[in-house]
Amino acid sequence: MPKKSTLQIEKTNIHIVNWLKTYAENAKVNGFVVGISGGVDSAVTSTLCAQTGLPTLCVEMPIHQAPSHVSRGREHIEQLKKRFSNVTNVVADLTSVFEDFKKVVPNEADSDTANLSLANTRARLRMTTLYYFAGIHGLLVAGTGNKVEDFGVGFYTKYGDGGVDLSPIADLMKSDVYALGAFLKIPDSILVASPTDGLFGDDRTDEDQLGASYDELEWAMKENEKGKITADFSGREKNIFEIYKKLNGINQHKMKEIPVCLIPKEFK
């Protein structure tokens, strides 16, 4: 992947910060709320929001979270609060809420689909929590999805981390997010950590779930945009392209507007 120059990264940073500030001012809201996971996307998003000078609330929402995720998130928040006086934080431990939810739904713990549904439930509980804080403080929920996740492979939870008011980094590839993160001096512990959604309560990474790294998926996304097809590749490249096409296809329902059944005029 071609690397961006420092000037390009700086201009991208300024552009997003100005976009965020203008959007918030036009929407007549006070600022932003961001869910902090200990990953690079939420760290970059919260730093961009902080740079607007508007109130930025960082929310930790652990649900049986791995200690390493928690420590990285807290390291970032403490650093951000030292750098920006407009940043505050709150912890909403949702573990008990999640456990109570499991008690009132059918117990299908050994089912793969049930485990996936429960993983997505974690993301949806967090979305609900972010909108609670947004509502009481007059804030916008800032999304943390990047371009590969949001528009490439659909690697997010519908109405979970996909439920946001605006998406400041959704036109940035994952490599761009890392470059911006380094420019913004987010903690090294976050920059070197393997990306993970943390929804299953174990050590599986995003690559484990997707079957390809973000660099590989970026390559496939760009080749797909060029009009390439599976037959154009062989070996590992063919495998990566097939993974990308499969995920892109099955997750279109996340990327497109909700289908509406239009009633013919003569029926109205």
Side-chain angles (χ1 to χ4, degrees):
M1 300 285 176
K3 288 187 177 181
K4 301 288 178 69
S5 69
T6 302
L7 182 59
Q8 286 177 307
I9 297 170
E10 183 178 9
K11 287 183 175 180
T12 297
N13 177 60
I14 294 171
H15 176 78
I16 296 175
V17 171
N18 288 338
W19 180 84
L20 282 165
K21 188 172 183 178
T22 299
Y23 192 97
E25 290 173 345
N26 290 339
K28 301 188 186 312
V29 297
N30 297 323
F32 309 95
V33 57
V34 187
I36 303 299
S37 66
V40 66
D41 295 321
S42 64
V44 167
T45 298
S46 53
T47 306
L48 290 167
C49 291
Q51 288 181 94
T52 65
L54 299 173
T56 299
L57 177 62
C58 294
V59 186
E60 295 178 75
M61 297 169 285
I63 302 175
H64 296 301
Q65 222 63 26
S68 59
H69 300 177
V70 175
S71 63
R72 289 199 301 268
R74 289 181 179 172
E75 180 185 2
H76 166 68
I77 290 171
E78 290 309 310
Q79 182 206 66
L80 205 59
K81 287 168 65 177
K82 289 178 181 178
R83 294 171 62 186
F84 300 96
S85 60
N86 54 309
V87 174
T88 55
N89 71 297
V90 64
V91 179
D93 192 329
L94 300 177
T95 301
S96 62
V97 179
F98 179 67
E99 288 301 319
D100 285 342
F101 176 83
K102 288 198 297 182
K103 292 175 184 176
V104 297
V105 294
N107 183 9
E108 300 181 34
D110 295 330
S111 163
D112 289 340
T113 54
N115 287 334
L116 179 58
S117 291
L118 283 174
N120 285 326
T121 296
R122 296 184 187 216
R124 291 174 179 133
L125 288 173
R126 289 172 177 146
M127 178 275 293
T128 301
T129 303
L130 290 175
Y131 273 99
Y132 169 79
F133 286 114
I136 62 176
H137 295 297
L139 306 173
L140 291 169
V141 177
T144 61
N146 58 70
K147 189 172 184 177
V148 181
E149 291 173 336
D150 284 6
F151 302 110
V153 295
F155 190 61
Y156 60 90
T157 298
K158 197 172 186 178
Y159 306 120
D161 46 330
V164 300
D165 290 317
L166 72 175
S167 297
I169 64 170
D171 198 32
L172 298 179
M173 291 292 197
K174 191 77 168 186
S175 59
D176 296 326
V177 177
Y178 273 108
L180 188 53
F183 175 80
L184 294 173
K185 295 180 170 53
I186 67 172
D188 288 339
S189 61
I190 292 176
L191 291 173
V192 302
S194 296
T196 176
D197 61 15
L199 293 181
F200 291 89
D202 55 26
D203 294 329
R204 73 185 74 183
T205 65
D206 290 354
E207 186 173 350
D208 291 333
Q209 293 191 63
L210 294 166
S213 69
Y214 280 109
D215 282 342
E216 290 174 327
L217 293 170
E218 278 186 34
W219 166 83
M221 188 173 184
K222 291 177 180 178
E223 292 301 309
N224 186 62
E225 290 172 347
K226 294 175 186 176
K228 295 292 183 68
I229 60 175
T230 305
D232 292 326
F233 307 105
S234 61
R236 176 61 179 167
E237 287 188 345
K238 182 177 181 179
N239 180 237
I240 294 165
F241 197 76
E242 287 175 338
I243 289 171
Y244 174 82
K245 291 293 287 185
K246 177 183 177 181
L247 293 171
N248 179 266
I250 64 176
N251 287 321
Q252 281 297 311
H253 68 99
K254 300 181 184 180
M255 307 175 206
K256 294 180 178 179
E257 293 181 0
I258 298 171
V260 175
C261 178
L262 299 177
I263 308 303
K265 288 183 179 179
E266 61 266 31
F267 296 172
K268 295 183 178 179

